[in-house]
Amino acid sequence: MSKKDILLVGVGGQGTVLAGKILAQVGVKAGLAAKVSEIHGMAQRGGGVVTQVRLGSSVSSPVVSRGQVDAIIAFEKLEAARWIPYLSSQGWMIVNDQEVMPLPVLAGEAVYPAGIIGQLCCQLHQLRVVQAVKLATECGSPRSMNLVLLGILAPSLGFPRTLWEEVIAEAVPPSTREVNLKAFGRGWALESTA
């Protein structure tokens, strides 16, 4: 596998950090080097959370520069728009079709931007928009939305599905294991049939 730089962007409580840890651990178990960097912006109050995951035969820095990211998984639409400058010209994005109102919008000091998906379509040649919360709810819990999104990304990386499932089973609480594996499988099936 050649080097892969992936950003997982969302807001506090959406599971970006867990998804990043699972992604990095899959890479390590497949024999690659992995570096992870997390940025939390007032995550407990709905602020942005960004996890950068770099995989390859050798990775020197955990931080990726603008214009170099191979794939972005956006757990929320506004976060997708904020991080698009990091995507390479050949990069692709998976966007959860969900709006989480930031504090200035909740306080009435700003308006949530309209037409984000339309703008992303104009800027990207590879964009996948998915209703991850709805799919995760159908699998048993809306909180498993992060595993639906990871399941959509996973086939493109070339690691065996069994390896992903092994790492997910180790990473999540036993009481949520079945739901999370089902959500991951739902995402995997979506991408496999695209």
Side-chain angles (χ1 to χ4, degrees), residues 111-126:
V111 176
Y112 192 95
I116 290 175
I117 296 299
Q119 293 171 19
L120 293 175
C121 286
C122 293
Q123 298 178 53
L124 300 172
H125 69 279
Q126 289 186 308

Side-chain angles (χ1 to χ4, degrees), residues 93-160:
M93 183 180 280
I94 302 165
V95 180
N96 179 24
D97 192 13
Q98 181 184 25
E99 296 176 356
V100 178
M101 299 300 142
L103 193 55
V105 172
L106 293 174
E109 298 170 357
V111 176
Y112 192 95
I116 290 175
I117 296 299
Q119 293 171 19
L120 293 175
C121 286
C122 293
Q123 298 178 53
L124 300 172
H125 69 279
Q126 289 186 308
L127 173 66
R128 183 78 187 255
V129 180
V130 62
Q131 294 183 336
V133 174
K134 176 180 178 282
L135 295 172
T137 301
E138 291 171 0
C139 292
S141 172
R143 295 176 55 97
S144 297
M145 168 265 292
N146 57 344
L147 273 298
V148 171
L149 295 169
L150 201 54
I152 293 171
L153 172 75
S156 71
L157 299 179
F159 302 122

